[in-house]
Amino acid sequence: MSRRTTRFRLAVVAVAASVSVVAGCSSSTTSTKTSATSCEPAKGKVTLQYWNTVPGMDKVVALWNEKNPNIQVETKNISNDQYGILSNALKAGKAPDLSQVGYDELPNLRTQSAFVDASACSAATAAKSKFVPWTWSQASFGDTGVFAMPQDTGPMALYVRSDIFKKHDIAIPTTWDEYATAAAKLHKADPKLDITFFDPNNAEWFNGLLWQNNAQMYSYSGDKWQVTVASQQSRQVADYWQKLIAGKLVRTDLANGSTQMYAAYQQDRIASYVGAAWGYSMFRDNLPKQAGKWSIVPMPTWGSDGTSGDWGGSTVAFMKGGKHLYESVKFNTWLTTDPAALALENQLGGLYPAALAGLQLPALSKGVPYYDNEKIFDVFADSSKKINTSFAWGPTQKTVNLALQDAMAKAAAGSGTLSDALSAAQATALKSMKDQAIPAAAGK
């Protein structure tokens, strides 16, 4: 295990430690960890509920159901409000057996006693060796149990309309300074053309930008969380995008994945997209007439080390209330590690696998027709190797994200700045931890 991975694992273990503090200060009837005491197979046919947000997942599940008549799975797409639907189901005692949960949402949901520890099943603990190490650490809170299995990651890159850059004789940028220069040149050449858009309601995307710049939002020392959401590295990113917004070089009226976003790209009004590996299918499926016009290149960098960021990625979590742990582990392991399942998930839903076997999929070594037969997954594979794996999420990240989004929206509308938004998120992180009796302090 590398030094960076070791640091990351220790940071995630700190999540478990902090959550234990919450348990000590809350009602004796509330537990932050549900341990399964049995992993016995059910007698007779079983039907599992699996909720997710992935396009085409019904076809993946159909493949499983065809081969496993005694363990059937029903899938439900909750992409319209994943966190809200899941939280409400937990409160009502109607959570599914399994659910897709983003890495950054795991700590928050664990404080809601959302998960069951599947480590009673030997197959669950044995699965650890099947995944990229840092993803397993994040999904299992270090070595404290098996609460979820990694499904995919989101190494970032730059999607570019090569034809637009070529038309205006502008080189594809490799650094953020070059990106800002290109933004100005594109807008000067065509006032209706912007280099990209800034979605003020997408904290997860912005966190990926912070991640790339080694902005350590949280660390754990002295038996408490050190909160550095508004660090110097974070402010560098915020100030950069603030200048682009102030110069009217990026749009702020589009939401990622919205109809309006696709319309802007369709009308040749935006020339690039800062996105993650799972986004490759978005353009393919929603802008078919632009096939051959898109390229995917490394994310612009801040320095010479080529460090990249990660946006999104998710797990398949074992939810509290599931009655069939043995069967859930069996399906979950297949879903997240079987090459046939992973190939479909990549083809239909754009998932970039977290499983080691998934990284060897033949499709990931071939050219992709939509992207002019470029081997785009080579770019994402290289990006994945350059992600700082010591980055850790805080135990109240969902609350912090909401505060960040609220302040970013105000900044985009001209009230305050993105740097102010970081300060608001920092204050929210400290207050939300204090409210839950989680020891925390402002870090340096």
Side-chain angles (χ1 to χ4, degrees):
M1 181 179 290
S2 70
R3 185 190 306 175
R4 291 195 308 170
T5 303
T6 300
R7 289 204 308 268
F8 183 86
R9 187 183 69 78
L10 293 175
V12 177
V13 170
V15 176
S18 69
V19 172
S20 297
V21 172
V22 177
C25 299
S26 60
S27 168
S28 60
T29 61
T30 301
S31 172
T32 58
K33 173 182 175 182
T34 304
S35 298
T37 57
S38 174
C39 190
E40 293 296 322
K43 297 178 181 178
K45 186 176 180 179
V46 164
T47 299
L48 303 175
Q49 297 291 324
Y50 167 48
W51 295 359
N52 66 89
T53 67
V54 183
M57 188 55 72
D58 56 330
K59 294 181 175 61
V60 180
V61 170
L63 179 63
W64 165 272
N65 286 339
E66 180 183 347
K67 298 180 179 181
N68 296 273
N70 291 326
I71 306 176
Q72 293 290 284
V73 178
E74 295 178 351
T75 183
K76 176 181 178 180
N77 190 291
I78 55 173
S79 56
N80 59 327
D81 183 16
Q82 178 185 7
Y83 190 86
I85 292 173
L86 201 54
S87 293
N88 290 335
L90 284 164
K91 293 175 184 176
K94 297 181 179 180
D97 299 272
L98 298 161
S99 181
Q100 180 185 7
V101 176
Y103 295 106
D104 61 336
E105 295 174 338
L106 286 168
N108 264 85
L109 285 171
R110 194 179 182 203
T111 64
Q112 298 177 38
S113 305
F115 309 125
V116 61
D117 181 359
S119 59
C121 297
S122 59
T125 55
K128 179 178 180 179
S129 62
K130 299 178 183 290
F131 297 95
V132 175
W134 71 267
T135 64
W136 181 265
S137 295
Q138 201 169 70
S140 62
F141 301 102
D143 294 327
T144 63
V146 182
F147 301 93
M149 290 190 180
Q151 185 170 42
D152 72 304
T153 61
M156 298 179 75
L158 181 66
Y159 294 62
V160 294
R161 276 287 301 274
S162 302
D163 58 324
I164 293 178
F165 278 82
K166 184 177 181 180
K167 175 183 177 180
H168 297 291
D169 194 27
I170 297 174
I172 294 175
T174 60
T175 68
W176 285 115
D177 284 343
E178 291 176 1
Y179 192 76
T181 299
K185 289 181 177 180
L186 285 168
H187 200 64
K188 183 178 180 180
D190 181 355
K192 294 183 180 180
L193 178 63
D194 294 288
I195 195 167
T196 193
F197 68 98
F198 182 95
D199 181 359
N201 294 304
N202 196 327
E204 290 83 2
W205 172 77
F206 191 69
N207 288 337
L209 300 178
L210 301 182
W211 192 333
Q212 183 203 22
N213 200 32
N214 293 319
Q216 299 288 354
M217 300 169 72
Y218 306 92
S219 61
Y220 196 83
S221 63
D223 294 327
K224 66 177 61 176
W225 282 94
Q226 305 297 321
V227 181
T228 53
V229 175
S231 67
Q232 181 179 349
Q233 292 91 336
S234 294
R235 292 187 186 279
Q236 181 182 9
V237 176
D239 291 344
Y240 174 87
W241 287 93
Q242 186 66 47
K243 289 180 180 178
L244 291 181
I245 293 172
K248 299 187 184 302
L249 298 178
V250 295
R251 291 180 62 169
T252 58
D253 61 335
L254 301 174
N256 186 68
S258 67
T259 301
Q260 293 80 5
M261 184 202 81
Y262 290 120
Y265 281 111
Q266 184 65 57
Q267 296 162 9
D268 297 340
R269 294 293 179 239
I270 306 180
S272 72
Y273 174 78
V274 182
W278 46 263
Y280 93 93
S281 62
M282 291 170 42
F283 292 91
R284 179 198 66 189
D285 297 342
N286 291 281
L287 299 171
K289 293 183 180 179
Q290 293 187 355
K293 296 181 178 181
W294 285 94
S295 293
I296 297 179
V297 299
M299 193 175 181
T301 61
W302 291 105
S304 59
D305 61 356
T307 301
S308 191
D310 184 278
W311 173 21
S314 57
T315 68
V316 179
F318 298 97
M319 305 305 297
K320 183 183 68 173
K323 299 178 181 179
H324 304 290
L325 188 61
Y326 174 87
E327 290 76 15
S328 292
V329 168
K330 191 170 183 178
F331 170 70
N332 200 346
T333 304
W334 175 85
L335 184 70
T336 55
T337 67
D338 185 87
L342 297 175
L344 268 182
E345 290 164 26
N346 174 260
Q347 176 189 344
L348 301 174
L351 299 189
Y352 188 75
L356 295 171
L359 299 180
Q360 305 303 317
L361 291 176
L364 299 188
S365 63
K366 297 179 180 179
V368 179
Y370 182 84
Y371 295 92
D372 200 24
N373 287 313
E374 294 178 1
K375 294 184 178 182
I376 64 171
F377 291 108
D378 286 352
V379 178
F380 291 120
D382 187 58
S383 173
S384 184
K385 294 175 184 176
K386 295 177 179 177
I387 292 171
N388 181 0
T389 56
S390 67
F391 188 90
W393 299 110
T396 59
Q397 189 63 44
K398 186 66 178 180
T399 303
V400 175
N401 282 350
L402 292 174
L404 180 60
Q405 289 174 179
D406 181 64
M408 287 199 304
K410 292 177 181 177
S415 178
T417 66
L418 294 178
S419 187
D420 294 335
L422 288 172
S423 296
Q426 167 98 2
T428 296
L430 290 167
K431 183 180 184 302
S432 59
M433 290 186 197
K434 180 180 179 182
D435 290 345
Q436 297 189 43
I438 301 173
K444 297 181 180 180

